[in-house]
Amino acid sequence: PTTPPCPTRAMFLLAAASLTALLALSRTWTSSFSSRRIGRGARLARPLRGLKRVSALRAGVTTDFRSKPPVLVTREKGKNDKLRRRLEDRGVEVLEVPCIQAKELDGAKQLPELLKGEWGWIVVTSPEGAKILSQYWDESGRPDVRVAAVGAATAKIVENAGISNVFIPSKAHAKALGDELPPPSNEGKNSNKILYPVSQLAKDEVEVLLGKKGYNVHRLDSYTTLPADWSDDDAKIVASARIVTFGSPSAVRVWAKRASVDSPIAVCIGGTSARACKEAGFAHIVYPEKPGVDTWAEEVFGVLEKIKTTTTGAE
C-alpha cells in the first residue's frame, strides 16, 4: 500500500510557498510605493501654476535679509509702523522718508452737524479720512451710523473708535466698493444718501460708481495732503534708494517731482498707487493683487529674494 504523505512535511512545504509569495508581493508593493513617493516629490518641486507667488512667510521660509539693500517707506510720519514691523521682523533694514503730510481742511468742521442727519452710509477710503470721521463722530454724540470703509486699516480705525456697523469690500479700492456695497433700500427717506469725507485731491471715482448704483453722494473735502519736508540727509537716502514703497498716489507724485523714477523698484500697496507710478514714469513697479499691509510686505520680500538671486548669479 502507498504510504500517505506526512502531514507535518506537507504543512511545512505549504507554509514555505506562502512565505515566498508574500515576500515577492512585499517587494513589488514596496518598489511601487517608493516610486510613487519619488514621483510626487518631483512634481511638487516644480512651480505651481495659477499661483503668482508663495510668500516666504506663508511657506515657512526664514530667509534673513540683513545683507540686502534697505527699503524706504514713504507714508506720512507715524503711519509706516505696521509695514516697518513686518519688514524688520525678517531682518530688513527700513528707512523712513515721508513724502506727504496731511492737513485738515475747514470742511471737516461741518462733520459734527452733518452726522446728526440721516444717512444711508458714510464712506471713508483712507486711514486719514477714518481718523477725521472718528474724531468728529465722537464730538457729535456718537450717533447711530453705518460706515463703508475701504481697506482693513481704514476699517480698524473707525471700529476702534466705537463704530460697530462697518462694511468692508473684498478689495481695498473704489471699484470693489462700487460693486459690492448693497444698493439703496426703501427703509427711510434718506437711505440713498451717502456722506463722503475725503481728501481734496481724491478723484471722483467713488461718487461716479455709487451714483450709478442709485446713491446721492455728498462729498466733503475734509483734508488734503501736502509734500513733506526733506532734510539733506533724507535727500541723500532717496538718491541711493533701490527699493521704495508707496501707499498712496500723493506720495508717488511727490517722489516723482523730487527724485529718480528710473532706477528704484516701486513696491505699491495696491493697484491705485501702481497706476500712479506708471503715470509718473517708474520703470519697475510691483504690487499685490489684493491690497493690504501683509500682501504689501510679501511683495517686498519677493523683490528682495529676486535681488538676492540675481546677486548670487543663479539667474
Side-chain angles (χ1 to χ4, degrees):
T2 304
T3 304
C6 174
T8 302
R9 184 172 179 273
M11 292 176 62
F12 175 79
L13 292 174
L14 179 61
S18 299
L19 180 59
T20 301
L22 181 60
L23 288 173
L25 178 62
S26 176
R27 283 193 297 269
T28 302
W29 180 84
T30 301
S31 174
S32 176
F33 178 75
S34 299
S35 176
R36 287 198 298 269
R37 289 188 61 188
I38 292 170
R40 287 175 180 170
R43 286 195 292 273
L44 287 175
R46 297 201 300 267
L48 299 175
R49 293 182 179 179
L51 295 182
K52 289 189 173 181
R53 174 177 297 139
V54 178
S55 80
L57 284 177
R58 297 188 181 209
V61 178
T62 56
T63 304
D64 193 333
F65 295 111
R66 282 178 290 187
S67 62
K68 300 299 110 191
V71 173
L72 270 65
V73 292
T74 61
R75 275 181 156 176
E76 304 99 298
K77 190 174 181 62
K79 294 185 179 178
N80 292 297
D81 293 346
K82 290 183 179 179
L83 180 60
R84 176 194 287 273
R85 282 196 299 269
R86 282 162 176 75
L87 299 180
E88 290 182 340
D89 284 347
R90 295 285 304 284
V92 178
E93 181 184 359
V94 178
L95 303 176
E96 184 177 28
V97 182
C99 285
I100 55 176
Q101 53 188 334
K103 179 184 178 182
E104 186 176 308
L105 298 177
D106 290 339
K109 295 179 174 57
Q110 301 176 35
L111 278 170
E113 190 63 30
L114 288 171
L115 286 169
K116 294 176 183 178
E118 184 179 346
W119 301 93
W121 292 93
I122 300 169
V123 171
V124 285
T125 55
S126 70
E128 187 64 27
K131 177 184 172 183
I132 290 174
L133 170 64
S134 299
Q135 174 188 337
Y136 287 107
W137 173 75
D138 188 63
E139 291 184 13
S140 65
R142 298 185 161 227
D144 187 20
V145 295
R146 295 192 304 177
V147 173
V150 175
T154 302
K156 188 173 182 179
I157 291 172
V158 296
E159 289 172 340
N160 288 345
I163 299 174
S164 58
N165 194 346
V166 181
F167 173 85
I168 309 172
S170 61
K171 293 183 179 180
H173 53 62
K175 186 178 184 306
L177 175 67
D179 290 342
E180 299 173 14
L181 190 71
S185 66
N186 296 323
E187 300 175 5
K189 61 180 181 180
N190 293 321
S191 63
N192 69 329
K193 289 179 60 179
I194 285 180
L195 177 60
Y196 179 35
V198 66
S199 167
Q200 186 181 50
L201 303 178
K203 296 181 179 180
D204 63 354
E205 186 177 10
V206 169
E207 296 104 296
V208 171
L209 289 170
L210 295 180
K212 290 179 179 178
K213 206 158 195 175
Y215 283 106
N216 179 14
V217 181
H218 179 80
R219 175 173 175 145
L220 184 66
D221 290 340
S222 303
Y223 69 98
T224 190
T225 51
L226 303 173
D229 296 327
W230 284 0
S231 66
D232 290 342
D233 288 340
D234 290 335
K236 290 177 182 178
I237 291 172
V238 167
S240 61
R242 294 184 63 185
I243 304 171
V244 56
T245 64
F246 292 111
S248 70
S250 299
V252 173
R253 287 189 286 268
V254 171
W255 180 283
K257 288 180 179 179
R258 297 179 176 180
S260 170
V261 297
D262 296 326
S263 55
I265 300 172
V267 186
C268 302
I269 192 172
T272 303
S273 297
R275 285 190 292 273
C277 283
K278 184 176 181 180
E279 292 171 3
F282 274 86
H284 310 285
I285 305 167
V286 179
Y287 67 99
E289 182 179 351
K290 186 171 183 178
V293 174
D294 289 335
T295 53
W296 193 10
E298 290 178 9
E299 292 297 332
V300 174
F301 296 141
V303 169
L304 289 170
E305 287 279 11
K306 191 73 173 179
I307 289 175
K308 176 183 177 182
T309 302
T310 303
T311 302
T312 57
E315 289 191 343

